[in-house]
Amino acid sequence: MIYSVRGKLTVKELGFAVIECGGVGYGCKTSYNTVSRLGEIGSEEMLYTYLYVREDVVELFGFATLQELSCFKLLISVSGVGPKAATSILSDVTPERFALLVASGDSKAFTKTKGIGAKTAQRIVLELKDKISSESISGSISSDAAQFANIPSEGASSSVSEALEALMVLGYSQGEAAPILGKLDPALSTQELIKETLRLMAAKNMR
């Protein structure tokens, strides 16, 4: 399994980049969001990768962040959503926005992506909501997480509880996200809470 590639950026196009590592160029299909974060040709870059294998198709996908890769994996797990549709969606929305749309059940927003119809958009929300529910994210947040994040354990609607759900869509555990959320101002919007939590997590990991 190729977890990531790091090396010289030799090709940078819309939806595609090549990273040269040890004399081998790894062509990665990707989102416009990731391409926009890459530097100039010749700069050293790193992409988190996913090797997609189906019958006679073998494709390597690369993303600038683990959060975007996590969203990509979630999307291609949905019935009828392939890697092309997944990267198109992630070209239109950031990982934070994607997580918020799923957590809030806003399927209509996904139809703004070319090629994503109403039925597919509804399926994305329904199937990923089911996955969230199976991990006890939706409906009832654990009492420990609720205590850390200063939110009701009864599942009351609030920007903090929505932010916690969205962060868990991105692959974080309650134990990772709730303590940080609990230190933030609950008056912030859901999106602001998500962004600030991700920033603090990144800063913590860099220490």
Side-chain angles (χ1 to χ4, degrees):
M1 177 181 178
I2 304 174
Y3 179 79
S4 65
V5 292
R6 181 191 293 273
K8 183 171 68 174
L9 179 67
T10 58
V11 176
K12 178 183 175 182
E13 301 173 354
L14 286 179
F16 184 74
V18 176
I19 305 293
E20 185 177 302
C21 311
V24 179
Y26 292 87
C28 300
K29 292 186 176 182
T30 188
S31 69
Y32 297 166
N33 280 328
T34 282
V35 169
S36 69
R37 296 181 63 155
L38 296 175
E40 299 298 322
I41 297 296
S43 63
E44 182 175 321
E45 304 290 342
M46 186 186 83
L47 295 176
Y48 295 99
T49 57
Y50 181 88
L51 186 62
Y52 182 83
V53 181
R54 288 293 184 278
E55 297 178 357
D56 59 342
V57 177
V58 178
E59 296 175 312
L60 188 65
F61 291 82
F63 301 95
T65 66
L66 284 172
Q67 289 76 36
E68 193 173 17
L69 175 60
S70 176
C71 291
F72 176 79
K73 290 178 178 178
L74 283 169
L75 280 165
I76 62 174
S77 74
V78 175
S79 176
V81 178
K84 183 177 180 180
T87 51
S88 293
I89 290 172
L90 294 174
S91 291
D92 290 339
V93 298
T94 63
E96 296 85 3
R97 177 68 176 159
F98 169 81
L100 183 58
L101 292 175
V102 173
S104 62
D106 186 0
S107 63
K108 187 177 180 180
F110 289 117
T111 62
K112 296 178 181 178
T113 295
K114 185 177 180 180
I116 303 298
K119 289 184 178 180
T120 299
Q122 291 168 4
R123 196 181 304 121
I124 289 171
V125 169
L126 287 173
E127 292 192 22
L128 295 186
K129 268 285 191 180
D130 285 344
K131 291 189 177 185
I132 298 170
S133 298
S134 69
E135 296 175 16
S136 300
I137 305 171
S138 181
S140 67
I141 296 171
S142 75
S143 58
D144 287 342
Q147 182 179 8
F148 274 124
N150 297 319
I151 58 177
S153 59
E154 293 291 318
S157 176
S158 71
S159 59
V160 178
S161 61
E162 286 182 356
L164 181 56
E165 290 183 14
L167 287 162
M168 295 183 76
V169 172
L170 292 174
Y172 294 101
S173 69
Q174 290 182 355
E176 289 175 311
I180 296 177
L181 276 171
K183 297 176 182 178
L184 301 179
D185 183 356
L188 293 172
S189 69
T190 301
Q191 197 155 4
E192 288 172 330
L193 287 169
I194 295 170
K195 287 184 177 180
E196 183 63 12
T197 301
L198 289 174
R199 186 187 70 78
L200 292 172
M201 284 181 172
K204 182 179 179 181
N205 291 334
M206 291 178 66
R207 292 174 185 171

